[in-house]
Amino acid sequence: MAHTFPQSSLAFLNQTSKISQLPTRLRIFVTMKFTTFRYNNREQAGIVAEDAVYNLNDIDSSIPKTMLEMLQIWDEVTPKALKIQNEILDGQHSNLRCPILEVEFLAPVPNPTSCRDGYAFRQHVAAARRNRKVPMIEEFDHYPIFYFTNHNAVQGPGEIKCMPDHFQKLDFELEAAVVLGKKGRNVSAADADQYIAGYTIMNDMSARTLQMEEMLLNLGPAKGKDFSTVIGPWMVTPDELSPFVSKAKAGHTGNNFSLEMRCWVNGIQVSHGNMGDMDWTFAEIIERCSYGADILPGDVIGSGTVGTGCFLELNGTGLFNDPNYTPQWLKEGDVVEMEITGLGRLKNTIIAEKSDFSILKIKEKFKG
């Protein structure tokens, strides 16, 4: 069943339709949005063009059938995809058109080679620590950090299935992410942006009670995070974002982008930030990731939470300012929508799995 696609993303796509009115020779930057989708019960990889999605392999059999395979030969795939994009804008391949309102978007890269998440926004970290009445940790400004999460739990738009313990302070996290398109090792921040194939929205789902319990033992997060990480609805190539490039903050290296970031829960806006507020750039995070270790095509790396980008921070700020503030957490049936300028809109619905299995209850028998 196809997901209802947000009209705001369709409006964004329609802005690019004017490109189709230009002669091919005048098109310098065109829409390059890669995705994985399901249409007529078939999982496919392709590009989003105007109001439709196209399977690239159906048009050019030399292009691999999956996004992960494409990323492994990214420098070969992108010029072929660009050629196909221009052909579509010229009215070709209409017989292979999959209407955007009828497709089910999956994670742009299903089962990525790995999934890391960074900690790039100082505003979020400082606010969360202030709310706990602890000083800002000075090491934040010394080096970018990240953790590995469950790459097998990466999903796209649609239902997020949660177990009973997940609903103990269930949270979203509004983030951006990059997908890598080159293999590397010991990559310098000055060169690291060249390894990025594209950008996407990330919702780093969090079960806060589980997370806080395991972090008491100074290991994790694990069970608080490993049930779902959402990316999508597509991956946007760096050239597509060139109008939004902004300077990295003083003393930092790499591209930054002034992109508005917003999140709604049940239609009510709860978060608003900007990707340009990243203190540590993706280039610097990649530099640290690749130190003494291989980074691979298909690796996904998140930015960390933008300021105001989760209930944990919002609740803490609310209680900091008003002891009578009522905290809010996600519950069954909630609809979470995230939007980042240029990256589209990501929509998920929280679903409760039919189970009474609880690892929090198992813990109780070991106490005392």
Side-chain angles (χ1 to χ4, degrees):
M1 180 178 178
H3 301 308
T4 301
F5 206 77
Q7 291 297 319
S8 58
S9 284
L10 286 178
F12 173 78
L13 288 170
N14 288 337
Q15 291 174 8
T16 67
S17 65
K18 296 178 182 178
I19 298 173
S20 64
Q21 302 170 13
L22 299 176
T24 301
R25 67 181 182 278
L26 295 180
R27 295 179 200 150
I28 300 172
F29 296 110
V30 298
T31 301
M32 289 290 283
K33 297 178 176 64
F34 291 81
T35 192
T36 301
F37 64 105
R38 186 175 289 116
Y39 184 69
N40 288 339
N41 295 317
R42 178 188 174 199
E43 187 172 316
Q44 311 173 56
I47 53 173
V48 181
E50 298 179 313
D51 60 350
V53 191
Y54 296 80
N55 182 316
L56 289 170
N57 179 262
D58 282 351
I59 298 172
D60 182 345
S61 61
S62 71
I63 297 177
K65 293 183 178 181
T66 70
M67 274 299 303
L68 190 55
E69 291 173 308
M70 287 187 204
L71 289 162
Q72 290 167 353
I73 54 169
W74 195 239
D75 288 343
E76 297 176 30
V77 166
T78 48
K80 294 177 181 179
L82 185 58
K83 176 177 179 292
I84 290 171
Q85 180 77 23
N86 281 332
E87 292 171 353
I88 291 169
L89 295 175
D90 281 333
Q92 300 181 49
H93 311 302
S94 58
N95 60 312
L96 298 174
R97 180 179 178 274
C98 302
I100 200 168
L101 291 175
E102 298 178 16
V103 306
E104 177 185 359
F105 284 90
L106 308 177
V109 187
N111 300 113
T113 43
S114 71
C115 187
R116 300 171 175 90
D117 199 14
Y119 209 39
F121 291 93
R122 196 180 202 279
Q123 177 187 345
H124 166 68
V125 179
R129 294 186 68 82
R130 177 207 63 190
N131 294 342
R132 300 200 304 272
K133 297 181 172 59
V134 295
M136 179 61 182
I137 186 168
E138 65 178 84
E139 284 79 7
F140 176 87
D141 298 311
H142 298 169
Y143 47 85
I145 64 168
F146 67 91
Y147 75 95
F148 281 96
T149 191
N150 183 6
H151 65 287
N152 291 316
V154 169
Q155 65 171 94
E159 296 179 349
I160 298 173
K161 295 181 179 179
C162 299
M163 290 289 286
D165 291 346
H166 296 145
F167 285 100
Q168 301 299 312
K169 299 184 178 179
L170 181 64
D171 207 352
F172 68 91
E173 293 193 33
L174 173 58
E175 308 187 16
V178 294
V179 178
L180 302 188
K182 291 174 63 175
K183 181 178 180 180
R185 187 180 180 92
N186 297 325
V187 178
S188 71
D191 297 327
D193 281 318
Q194 301 172 30
Y195 288 74
I196 297 173
Y199 296 79
T200 189
I201 302 170
M202 175 183 279
N203 178 1
D204 177 34
M205 291 293 297
S206 300
R208 297 301 189 185
T209 295
L210 288 173
Q211 178 187 359
M212 296 308 171
E213 283 203 343
E214 59 196 5
M215 295 299 283
L216 291 173
L217 295 170
N218 296 319
L219 189 64
K223 297 311 298 178
K225 296 280 191 175
D226 70 353
F227 59 102
S228 174
T229 300
V230 191
I231 60 173
W234 44 60
M235 181 191 81
V236 176
T237 53
D239 278 351
E240 184 75 8
L241 300 179
S242 59
F244 305 100
V245 171
S246 61
K247 289 184 178 180
K249 293 194 175 182
H252 291 272
T253 302
N255 289 336
N256 212 342
F257 298 91
S258 181
L259 304 176
E260 296 293 320
M261 304 173 69
R262 292 181 172 86
C263 179
W264 295 259
V265 175
N266 300 328
I268 300 172
Q269 184 173 316
V270 294
S271 299
H272 181 203
N274 193 295
M275 189 169 154
D277 290 332
M278 289 178 67
D279 292 87
W280 293 103
T281 66
F282 276 116
E284 291 168 327
I285 297 170
I286 291 169
E287 178 182 67
R288 188 169 180 89
C289 291
S290 70
Y291 178 76
D294 291 339
I295 52 173
L296 301 172
D299 285 356
V300 173
I301 304 173
S303 63
T305 310
V306 69
T308 78
C310 66
F311 279 140
L312 180 69
E313 179 189 337
L314 294 169
N315 289 338
T317 299
L319 290 168
F320 183 84
N321 294 321
D322 178 6
N324 296 316
Y325 178 87
T326 301
Q328 180 179 357
W329 302 101
L330 294 176
K331 59 186 182 302
E332 181 181 7
D334 281 352
V335 177
V336 181
E337 296 178 86
M338 295 181 171
E339 186 172 83
I340 300 180
T341 305
L343 302 186
R345 193 171 178 113
L346 178 63
K347 180 178 179 180
N348 295 95
T349 301
I350 306 300
I351 302 295
E353 294 206 42
K354 295 180 180 179
S355 173
D356 59 3
F357 179 37
S358 168
I359 57 175
L360 289 174
K361 289 181 179 178
I362 292 174
K363 175 202 68 177
E364 294 300 318
K365 72 179 183 181
F366 294 101
K367 294 177 69 174

